[in-house]
Amino acid sequence: MAAIITEKFRQHNAEQFFESFSEASASTYYLFIGKSSPFSVSTSGGDDNSPPTPNDDVVLEQHKWDSMLAAKLISTSDVAFCAPRRDWANSTTYDMYEHDISTTNPTTSGATNLYDSTFYFMTSEYKVYKVLDNNNGVAYSGVEPTSTSAIPFELGGYTLQYMYTLSVSNIDKFLTSDFIPVVTDSSVSGAAANGSIDTLRVVAGSGFADGTYYSPIDGDGSGGVVEIKVAGGAIQRQGSSGSNIFAAGTGYTFATVDLSNTFSNSGMTVGASIGSGSGGSVIPIISPRGGHGKNAVEELGAHYVMMNTKLEQAEGDDVTVANDFREVGIVKDPFNFGTTTISSASTRRQSYAIKMAASPSTDYIIDEKITQSTTGAVGRVVEWDATRKILYYVQERFTDFGIAANGNQISFSGANTVTGATSNAAATPSATSSENVTLAGGTTLTFTSGYANPELQPDSGHILYVENRRPISRASDQTEDIKIVVEF
């Protein structure tokens, strides 16, 4: 249940978005969590068992700031291109790479788009291979591939191109049951030949003269030659004992093979013709730009970007471990509180805080409504630190959550008693002009006359993505591994 809620974000392509994380002048992106109080029909809609689907509107972006609890910077190493996961299994039929898949030329599985087809797979050793030829739609039959050869090879009846091997880091951060991270292997990329012809699509036909023939590959490239084998009057499909590429050539973006222009020797100077059979054809398969393996991201259709961020324990006291959360999102270029400076800190606390002058007779309860009768302020408890007498809270734009009965959102202020609606806890904020408190994780929180603001300026930057989830509980020894996948 997610939404991308700014048109600007939708207009990015995956490469631009990914590259913005590594450029020196790039924007900053934070993963944020929020919504400690339950979803309800009367406020946000839905409930904790069926979270509401976020609306794609301006109001939603404003509401997310009200319920935001904390944010963590997304670093370059937290982002990867990804593609749908397809695992190798023997006796499985895979599609093959073709440059012209369409409704009139579907794949073996019936896909009418290359990137919807199963033309690549990952092995148990986390090696990824592209299928250049699938034995005319026959199931793979043989041992699991292990080769890291930069050039195509045959195995299991298939012609395969090794692409890359997942690193331990990529496996840990980005491999899921649905997606695999995609990277380009520099050795494979360096060996790729732009515009090379590596495979063929063969229609057998009939009535051709048996034998082995050679034909130049026509088109806008050069140097390509096809070896054509005929047996029983039929052109033999590509494979170790059939027709093959004799010379891959370079520079082809379109190519054809003329069966009336064949020779019986590889020098193609003199030779017998293949004959005047019918119904047969040899169609060169055009390699992707740069050649097979040049750019794995483009070739495997990795138009998904995954962001993986771990929330480890309290993250330097910025992320509560006393309450749960229900919202996950991405915010771009938020400001530090009270400024127009884009934040760059690794983590940010986003709840408000009050330092009480003395402990109440009973503890505040998480999620309960709190009020300040003198000012009329209303909020909800995120956490009560009884040891340090600190009350963390948010003010959502719903009645009894942050909006008073008169329809106004009023800030808590002054040395006025704050009362818990369920616990009946009541305490007065400290009146000390400036007070530094060392938190459990060792960081210092400064209070001014009993109050501390969030660390990011509400409603700054751009909230790009929001996802509502069932409650995710936190604990002092707990780490959340959050993965967000955006499709472009």
Side-chain angles (χ1 to χ4, degrees):
M1 298 186 178
I4 296 172
I5 62 173
T6 64
E7 192 65 32
K8 182 183 293 185
F9 185 65
R10 274 198 284 257
Q11 291 171 351
H12 274 299
N13 62 40
E15 288 81 3
Q16 290 172 332
F17 183 69
F18 185 88
E19 289 169 0
S20 70
F21 283 87
S22 56
E23 295 171 354
S25 60
S27 297
T28 59
Y29 296 82
Y30 281 85
L31 171 91
F32 69 82
I33 61 171
K35 191 62 176 163
S36 56
S37 60
F39 294 117
S40 66
V41 174
S42 61
T43 57
S44 56
D47 56 44
D48 279 357
N49 290 320
S50 300
T53 298
N55 295 324
D56 194 355
D57 58 25
V58 173
V59 173
L60 174 70
E61 184 169 1
Q62 296 168 340
H63 273 266
K64 297 308 104 175
W65 277 104
D66 298 335
S67 56
M68 195 180 296
L69 301 175
K72 185 171 182 178
L73 188 69
I74 302 173
S75 67
T76 302
S77 61
D78 295 332
V79 184
F81 289 109
C82 290
R85 178 171 176 168
R86 299 182 177 107
D87 293 333
W88 176 86
N90 199 22
S91 302
T92 298
T93 301
Y94 296 93
D95 291 322
M96 61 179 276
Y97 167 84
E98 295 179 78
H99 65 275
D100 57 351
I101 294 171
S102 65
T103 54
T104 57
N105 179 42
T107 66
T108 300
S109 67
T112 57
N113 180 292
L114 174 64
Y115 303 118
D116 292 335
S117 70
T118 59
F119 74 105
Y120 63 87
F121 56 73
M122 180 183 69
T123 69
S124 62
E125 294 183 338
Y126 304 107
K127 292 181 171 66
V128 177
Y129 297 88
K130 184 196 296 187
V131 178
L132 302 189
D133 183 83
N134 68 352
N135 198 12
N136 204 31
V138 175
Y140 185 103
S141 179
V143 298
E144 185 177 43
T146 60
S147 173
T148 57
S149 170
I151 61 174
F153 64 94
E154 290 187 25
L155 191 68
Y158 280 29
T159 301
L160 304 174
Q161 171 69 59
Y162 168 73
M163 298 296 288
Y164 63 94
T165 301
L166 271 64
S167 67
V168 173
S169 175
N170 274 338
I171 293 169
D172 177 60
K173 292 176 70 71
F174 304 113
L175 182 63
T176 72
S177 59
D178 296 316
F179 293 95
I180 59 171
V182 179
V183 296
T184 297
D185 184 296
S186 58
S187 296
V188 177
S189 178
N194 185 42
S196 65
I197 304 294
D198 297 286
T199 51
L200 306 167
R201 186 165 69 236
V202 174
V203 178
S206 61
F208 296 100
D210 290 359
T212 299
Y213 305 90
Y214 298 86
S215 179
I217 299 176
D218 300 322
D220 59 347
S222 63
V225 178
V226 174
E227 180 185 65
I228 304 170
K229 293 188 178 182
V230 178
I235 302 172
Q236 302 300 291
R237 61 164 306 278
Q238 178 168 306
S240 56
S241 60
S243 301
N244 281 289
I245 299 295
F246 183 79
T250 59
Y252 290 97
T253 62
F254 69 92
T256 59
V257 171
D258 184 357
L259 293 182
S260 66
N261 187 26
T262 58
F263 305 85
S264 60
N265 63 83
S266 59
M268 296 186 298
T269 54
V270 178
S273 169
I274 193 173
S276 56
S278 62
S281 63
V282 175
I283 302 170
I285 302 299
I286 307 298
S287 64
R289 182 175 57 181
H292 293 292
K294 184 66 175 179
N295 187 326
V297 172
E298 289 186 2
E299 294 172 47
L300 300 186
H303 46 259
Y304 299 83
V305 173
M306 181 183 293
M307 285 146 280
N308 170 244
T309 302
K310 291 183 179 180
L311 299 179
E312 302 179 75
Q313 293 82 50
E315 289 284 359
D317 299 307
D318 281 338
V319 184
T320 181
V321 293
N323 210 329
D324 47 24
F325 64 91
R326 295 161 175 78
E327 292 171 344
V328 175
I330 300 169
V331 58
K332 174 186 175 184
D333 291 342
F335 299 155
N336 290 322
F337 188 90
T339 76
T340 56
T341 301
I342 294 174
S343 178
S344 60
S346 59
T347 59
R348 301 273 78 178
R349 172 188 52 82
Q350 203 50 28
S351 57
Y352 290 82
I354 301 174
K355 172 68 170 64
M356 298 303 182
S359 298
S361 58
T362 187
D363 290 335
Y364 293 98
I365 300 172
I366 61 172
D367 297 337
E368 74 170 324
K369 175 184 174 181
I370 53 173
T371 58
Q372 195 174 46
S373 59
T374 304
T375 62
V378 177
R380 291 279 170 161
V381 175
V382 173
E383 179 181 351
W384 166 242
D385 183 344
T387 301
R388 296 164 186 82
K389 300 186 287 292
I390 299 174
L391 179 65
Y392 297 93
Y393 66 96
V394 293
Q395 292 181 285
E396 296 186 62
R397 299 181 198 191
F398 304 122
T399 301
D400 290 336
F401 283 75
I403 304 299
N406 63 6
N408 293 323
Q409 186 176 54
I410 303 167
S411 297
F412 287 82
S413 62
N416 302 301
T417 301
V418 177
T419 304
T422 303
S423 65
N424 292 318
T428 302
S430 171
T432 304
S433 59
S434 182
E435 186 174 2
N436 294 325
V437 179
T438 301
L439 303 179
T443 59
T444 299
L445 182 56
T446 300
F447 291 86
T448 301
S449 299
Y451 294 86
N453 290 312
E455 295 180 311
L456 296 177
Q457 178 63 38
D459 298 327
S460 65
H462 299 282
I463 291 181
L464 305 178
Y465 175 88
V466 173
E467 181 175 349
N468 291 336
R469 301 184 175 189
R470 293 184 178 185
I472 300 172
S473 299
R474 304 214 69 231
S476 59
D477 60 350
Q478 184 169 306
T479 295
E480 280 76 39
D481 190 349
I482 299 174
K483 294 176 172 66
I484 294 177
V485 179
V486 179
E487 180 180 2
F488 290 85

